Structures are given as C-alpha cells and as structure tokens.
Amino acid sequence: MWLFNSSIGRKVVMSVTGVALILFLTFHGCMNMVALFSEEGYNMICEFLGANWYAVVAWQ
C-alpha cells in the first residue's frame, strides 16, 4: 500500500496519529481539570461520554 511504502505516506500517517494523540491528551487533561473544580461538571462529562456510541465501543 502506497501509504506505508512512500515517505510522504508515512509522514501523513504520523501526522494524523499525532493530531489524534494531542486531541486525546487535551480532552482528558481538560476532563481531569474539571474534576478538580466541579463534581457536577465531571459527572456531566461522564454521562455525555456514556451516551456516545463511540465511547461505549472504545470501552469494550
């Protein structure tokens, strides 16, 4: 597959996974900051995550 065999393809894959990691870390960092200040806010975030199919699938 050209995406993994060419240097440009590998750089694209690396940049996409890097952006996904940064977004993941930013979201979880913000979620933990909310937990420090507001128990209700943290519970709202947890309920929101439990209501999304992709979060439930990722949990499995």
Side-chain angles (χ1 to χ4, degrees), residues 36-49:
L36 293 175
F37 297 111
S38 171
E39 182 178 338
E40 294 84 23
Y42 184 75
N43 287 334
M44 285 175 32
I45 292 172
C46 290
E47 287 176 18
F48 173 73
L49 287 176

Side-chain angles (χ1 to χ4, degrees), residues 8-60:
I8 300 294
R10 284 182 290 200
K11 289 175 186 175
V12 168
V13 170
M14 186 169 48
S15 65
V16 169
T17 56
V19 167
L21 178 63
I22 294 298
L23 290 174
F24 176 82
L25 291 175
T26 302
F27 175 76
H28 283 83
C30 291
M31 188 172 148
N32 290 329
M33 287 296 286
V34 168
L36 293 175
F37 297 111
S38 171
E39 182 178 338
E40 294 84 23
Y42 184 75
N43 287 334
M44 285 175 32
I45 292 172
C46 290
E47 287 176 18
F48 173 73
L49 287 176
N52 293 312
W53 65 269
Y54 51 84
V56 173
V57 170
W59 181 256
Q60 300 300 327

